[in-house]
Structure formats: structure tokens, C-alpha cells
Amino acid sequence: MYVERASRLPGAVVWTNTPTRPGVARVLPDGCMDLLWHDGRLMVAGPDTRAYLPDGVTGPWAGVRFYPGTAPALLRVPAHELRDRRVELADLWPASQVRRLSDRVNAAPDPASGLEELALRRAAGAEPPDPLLRQIVTALDACRPVAATADELGVGARRLHRRSLSAFGYGPKTLARILRLHRALALARAGVPFGETAARAGYADQAHLARDVRGLAGLPLGELLGRGAQGASDSGVGEPSGAP
């Protein structure tokens, strides 16, 4: 069962998940990165460009899902280096440091609260989030074209692309596709007909919607809704990316 709550870290979400069967839920790309705990170990889920299919691992998981673009400054690794990957935290930070942090999380009342404390400590020692990154997410999630977003923010297309790679793991066009996917899923889950969903979410037509959903999620829209894939119930900002 998947449960989440708002974190004390602004924009972040703390979640727990205990799969009852191996491979029951595909995790959709959502523009986020997660700090994960499982079986006493700390891991990181990088930004996905396609649906992630769990490899059959069961048992409880916990995570902190960071607002898009904020995790790289806390983890001190560019997002594109973790694109479509789940890695041990010890692969990114010194092993001795990770052992100490793992001990703290494992000694906490529950792993989720331990992860949240870890994230809060990292945030306290880091620079404040770059407001430009949130402005990029907000503009693209409002269906603003990439070129217009670059012009309005005064960053230029090349700089926007570079900043997006480092912060989100991919270029702004991919981020816009992922955010659009979640707008469409929210509408479709609310019962909006697929043709109207396509128009309201920003697709050229229903065929465009169908192609994009299959490309990003790996399933037709109707089947995806029936399966209840994680990351598909609301917008791309703040939906589960790392949960198995």
C-alpha cells in the first residue's frame, strides 16, 4: 500500500510503500528524484524518461520525493548522471558517510521520518533552491512552449537546455512532455473523455495523446488507468517517481 504526506522540506513529499505482490505497479516518469530506503539501505531514484518496472523486490520501502530540480543541489550530482537509474547512495557519497547516515535512518522511529531528517539536514547546509527552476516547471506545466519559456525567463534556449539537463535530468521538451502526461492522466481519471482530455492537456489530438502515453508509460491510456500506475493520479509535480 502506498501512503504519502507533505514533508517539512518545502515542495517535498514523504512516502511509504509496501507492495503486496512483485511487479504490480509501474512507476511513471514525473520530473522528480527520490531518496530511498529499503531493507536498511539508502538509494537514489534518478529522473525517469519512461515507465520504471520494479524487478520483483518486495517488502517495505520509504522515500522522500523532491520537487523537480531541487534534488541535485542536495545530492551534489547532476540529474542527468542519474537519468533512468536507481543507485546506491554509497555510489555517490563516501561509504563511511553513508554507513553513518544509514545507521541514523535505521535508528529513527520509522525509516520515512529518518529520511526526512536526513533531507532536512542536507537542505540546511545547501544553497537555497534556484527560483528559476521552479519558474521553468511552472511555465511548462502551464502549457507554455519551450521557446516562449526561455524568452520570458530571459535565459535563452541553450542555457535553458543546459540548466534543465543538470536540474531535471533531461531537456525542457522532455520535461514538458512528462508534465503534460500527468495533466492528461488527471483529466482522464476524473472522467473527462479522451478527446477532450487531449485538447485540454495540450495535445494536438487524441492520436497524439495515445502515442505519447504509450511512449512514456508503455501502455495504452485505457489500460494504464485500469492498472492504477503510481505517479498517475495528479500532476507530474509531486507524484511518486521512486516507489516500486
Side-chain angles (χ1 to χ4, degrees):
M1 181 178 66
Y2 177 85
V3 179
E4 68 174 41
R5 63 172 173 84
S7 172
R8 288 177 287 149
L9 181 65
V13 171
V14 179
W15 57 263
T16 58
N17 191 36
T18 304
T20 56
R21 290 180 292 133
V24 293
R26 62 183 55 218
V27 182
L28 302 186
D30 62 0
C32 301
M33 294 173 59
D34 293 55
L35 180 63
L36 308 174
W37 173 93
H38 176 67
D39 197 23
R41 296 159 31 232
L42 299 180
M43 292 164 281
V44 175
D48 292 324
T49 60
R50 57 186 180 273
Y52 171 72
L53 301 178
D55 59 5
V57 177
T58 57
W61 289 75
V64 174
R65 185 170 66 253
F66 300 99
Y67 187 85
T70 60
L74 303 184
L75 299 174
R76 296 184 181 176
V77 59
H80 64 82
E81 293 187 7
L82 300 177
R83 183 172 54 233
D84 293 319
R85 299 175 63 197
R86 269 66 176 165
V87 301
E88 300 281 344
L89 187 59
D91 291 339
L92 306 178
W93 297 354
S96 59
Q97 179 185 10
V98 174
R99 282 195 296 271
R100 291 194 300 271
L101 296 174
S102 298
D103 289 343
R104 289 181 187 174
V105 173
N106 291 326
D110 60 87
S113 63
L115 283 178
E116 184 178 27
E117 289 296 333
L118 170 56
L120 287 166
R121 287 195 298 269
R122 293 293 297 184
E127 293 292 326
D130 185 348
L132 176 65
L133 301 177
R134 184 177 286 269
Q135 291 169 357
I136 293 170
V137 175
T138 299
L140 296 178
D141 200 30
C143 296
R144 298 296 295 156
V146 171
T149 296
D151 290 343
E152 291 166 4
L153 298 180
V155 296
R158 291 185 179 181
R159 184 182 170 205
L160 176 62
H161 189 79
R162 289 195 301 270
R163 294 297 300 275
S164 295
L165 282 178
S166 178
F168 309 118
Y170 27 65
K173 289 186 178 180
T174 298
L175 178 60
R177 284 184 68 212
I178 289 170
L179 297 176
R180 183 176 60 190
L181 168 71
H182 286 275
R183 291 196 302 273
L185 290 172
L187 290 166
R189 285 188 180 278
V192 178
F194 289 176
E196 184 180 348
T197 287
R200 290 172 57 181
Y203 293 92
D205 52 31
Q206 187 172 336
H208 183 199
L209 166 66
R211 290 193 302 272
D212 232 35
V213 169
R214 186 180 285 275
L216 290 170
L219 289 174
L221 179 56
E223 186 176 350
L224 180 66
L225 295 176
R227 290 194 178 196
Q230 291 177 344
S233 63
D234 206 333
S235 71
V237 179
E239 286 302 311
S241 64

